[in-house]
Amino acid sequence: MLPYINLPFAYAASLTGASIDELKLIFSFLLSYPLAGLLKRIPDAKPYQKNLFIVFVSLFYLIGLFDLWAGIRTILISSAGAYIIAKYVDGPFMPWIGFGFLMGHMSISHIYRQFAHAPDKVDITGAQMVLVMKLTGFCWNVYDGRLKQDDLADFQKERAILRLPSLLDFAGFVLFFPSLFAGPSFDFVDYRRWIETTMFEVPKGADPKTAPRTRGQRKIPRSGTPATIKAVIGLLWIFLFLNFSSWYNTDFVVSDCYMTYNLLRRIWILEMLGFSTRMKYYGVWYLTEGACILSGLGYKGVDPKTGQHKWNRLENVNPWGIETAQNSRTYLENWNKNTNNWLRNYMYLRVTPKGKKPGFRASLATFITSAFWHGFYPGYYLSFLLAAFLQTVAKNFRRHVRPFFLTPDGQRPTQYKIYYDILSYLTTQTAFCFTTAPFVLLTLPSSLLVWSRVYFYTVLGTAASMAFFASPAKPWLIKRLNARNKAANQWQQERQQQQQQQQQQALPPDQQKVENPLMGPGLPSDPGKELDEAIMEIREEVEARRKRGASASMPTGRDMKAAVEDKLGGSYDHDRL
């Protein structure tokens, strides 16, 4: 650690109430902005200089700012181990060996941090969690690069590594300083396209005018405006967190003072505890994403609809999507997006046999991986376990209850849909503030204490909902929905027929459609068929007379015409047919 570097942070900590390490962490996020600006100005033709700059800045953060000599050792062991496994181990088990090695190594850091129990102290665990996502993905990408392209899905083809990177490129990927401590995570192919500047090329066939604006000979686009917006919003979230966390925190919900409020107020306080905790993550992820955008790595091409350049390649969170979520799927999809992508691409889909859809085994493996990746605090496992059941319940409600509030075609809401939306929003938000409380409280006694103080309302509601859908109520709902849709479809068909008749009657007489333009109104629409049936009846009568011994023959000429007219009850002009 650099001499006297703690002095300004100690003074700021005495004013704000935050810890020295927390302030230094925020300082490192902010310092990454001007350093990312310098990184972008290194000539594109000298990628080795960019890699060296990245490595030196990260070493300054680890040693000069936080004195994490042991952290450098941890990063070296994980990255060297993953590179050696990817290079020398062949066969289908290579990525699983890399996954086991990296997760096992990270578990040591988790155990050490848990026993140290110093949440305000910055150690290497957060950086190692980001590194595990990057390196396990790296092993899978190398494995995909050894397979036939025809055997790969589209996302595998996009990320496959056909040749191992140089050690310097790999070091730059591992130690990319804007996302060193808190993410966002990304795959090596994104880093390679960024450092080779192929990420910024205009696609073939695209309008050259859509090329991003650059300065001088640089290919990396100008990104100061979107990066500044992210920084300002991130700082705003941090400021709100510092204020709200003084009102809503874990010490308050486990204190006796919490029980002086009524149940609804206690649930509200629990909701605000979750919201204030999310503010911290919103702020951190916005700040780190902004630095990545300034370096150019956040570039994601041109939006085909608006023609605007997109900078959301590394977007990790959507606060609006979370705070307005009406179901568990929307809530979770907008939270920690890069971790969700990692779990989906490198666990959920990888444990699924080729040609089959992901099932229970894939979901279980993903759940266990996510919990293990976060650490060993019991609160993590309580939250993830309950969240898994919540997703199942939410899926049942969406499939079997929500359609009653939509039109039978499922395209438009009914007049009662607004009430369903309001109830869904309140249920989702209150359920998740209960579910995520152990994630904040961490320990088992504190988690169960707080849950009991709100009478386990989400646990009981989830259990009741699962029992409901496991009972005959589920088939009854399906039957009612099918009957409703069938009746609605019949009504719709009748209404369409009535509208057609009304439209027909509204036309002038000379434009009204007749049933058969050849025969006139009131006659059969298929006179040829009617004629054939009449002749068939006459032939059958003749055959019946012959069987009875009577002399009978098929009529011809005018006799046939008269017999047919007698059968049809009218006069047919055979020549017009």
Side-chain angles (χ1 to χ4, degrees), residues 531 534-535 538-539 554-566 574:
L531 185 62
I535 295 174
I538 296 172
R539 180 177 288 109
M554 284 290 293
T556 59
R558 291 184 178 275
D559 294 335
M560 172 62 80
K561 180 180 179 182
V564 170
E565 288 178 350
D566 181 63
H574 192 274

Side-chain angles (χ1 to χ4, degrees), residues 80-354:
Y83 192 91
I84 291 171
I85 290 171
K87 183 174 182 178
Y88 294 106
V89 179
D90 202 0
F93 295 107
M94 183 273 286
W96 292 113
I97 294 173
F99 175 84
F101 165 74
L102 292 165
M103 292 290 281
H105 187 212
M106 183 180 63
S107 68
I108 298 174
S109 298
H110 276 312
I111 293 172
Y112 178 81
R113 180 173 177 80
Q114 188 166 338
F115 278 101
H117 195 60
D120 294 336
K121 186 75 173 177
V122 172
D123 62 7
I124 201 60
T125 308
Q128 193 176 9
M129 292 172 70
V130 177
L131 188 60
V132 164
M133 289 192 288
K134 294 165 74 171
L135 294 181
T136 51
F138 176 81
C139 290
W140 277 110
N141 298 152
V142 171
Y143 171 72
D144 290 338
R146 295 171 180 171
L147 300 177
K148 295 180 179 179
Q149 293 295 297
D150 295 339
D151 296 335
L152 302 178
D154 290 340
F155 85 92
Q156 292 174 283
K157 293 178 183 178
E158 293 172 359
R159 296 167 174 80
I161 297 175
L162 303 180
R163 56 181 175 84
L164 280 176
S166 67
L167 291 178
L168 187 56
D169 282 349
F170 185 69
F173 165 66
V174 167
L175 294 171
F176 189 70
F177 66 86
S179 65
L180 179 65
F181 288 110
S185 172
F186 49 87
D187 287 325
F188 179 77
V189 291
D190 292 325
Y191 184 79
R192 173 174 278 170
R193 291 168 185 163
W194 170 77
I195 204 164
E196 294 176 352
T197 67
T198 56
M199 177 185 291
F200 313 106
E201 295 176 353
V202 179
K204 294 182 179 179
D207 187 351
K209 295 181 181 178
T210 63
R213 293 193 305 166
T214 60
R215 288 185 183 275
Q217 299 298 316
R218 285 204 312 263
K219 293 182 180 180
I220 299 178
R222 299 168 62 178
S223 55
T225 298
T228 302
I229 292 173
K230 287 288 182 179
V232 171
I233 296 175
L235 288 173
L236 178 61
W237 282 120
I238 294 294
F239 174 77
L240 292 174
F241 163 71
L242 292 174
N243 284 274
F244 274 73
S245 61
S246 64
W247 305 324
Y248 306 100
N249 49 64
T250 56
D251 292 336
F252 179 69
V253 295
V254 298
S255 68
D256 294 335
C257 183
Y258 181 58
M259 291 302 294
T260 62
Y261 298 98
N262 60 46
L263 177 61
L264 291 179
R265 183 69 180 273
R266 294 201 298 271
I267 293 175
W268 169 254
I269 292 172
L270 206 59
E271 168 65 30
M272 295 309 296
L273 172 65
F275 181 51
S276 63
T277 303
R278 290 193 296 274
M279 288 179 185
K280 176 177 66 174
Y281 291 98
Y282 294 162
V284 168
W285 285 336
Y286 263 68
L287 288 175
T288 56
E289 184 191 352
C292 291
I293 289 174
L294 193 59
S295 71
L297 190 58
Y299 185 70
K300 201 180 180 180
V302 179
D303 189 329
K305 294 182 179 179
T306 63
Q308 299 294 320
H309 295 282
K310 297 185 294 184
W311 292 95
N312 62 341
R313 177 182 295 275
L314 301 180
E315 184 180 75
N316 208 31
V317 69
N318 178 9
W320 178 256
I322 293 170
E323 304 304 332
T324 61
Q326 297 178 13
N327 56 73
S328 61
R329 181 178 179 181
T330 303
Y331 193 101
L332 296 174
E333 281 182 347
N334 287 286
W335 173 261
N336 209 352
K337 292 183 177 182
N338 290 294
T339 300
N340 289 335
N341 292 335
W342 170 67
L343 290 169
R344 180 181 183 275
N345 293 333
Y346 302 118
M347 178 52 64
Y348 186 71
L349 297 178
R350 299 293 181 164
V351 298
T352 303
K354 186 178 180 180

Side-chain angles (χ1 to χ4, degrees), residues 496-514:
Q496 289 177 352
Q497 292 176 357
Q498 291 175 358
Q499 290 175 346
Q500 290 175 357
Q501 292 176 358
Q502 292 173 356
Q503 292 173 358
Q504 179 72 13
Q505 294 172 359
L507 294 174
D510 59 337
Q511 297 182 13
Q512 291 186 8
K513 180 180 177 182
V514 296

Side-chain angles (χ1 to χ4, degrees), residues 44 65 136 215 251 259 291 330 367 384 401 403 418:
D44 296 333
L65 200 57
T136 51
R215 288 185 183 275
D251 292 336
M259 291 302 294
T330 303
F367 161 73
F384 282 113
V401 177
I418 183 64

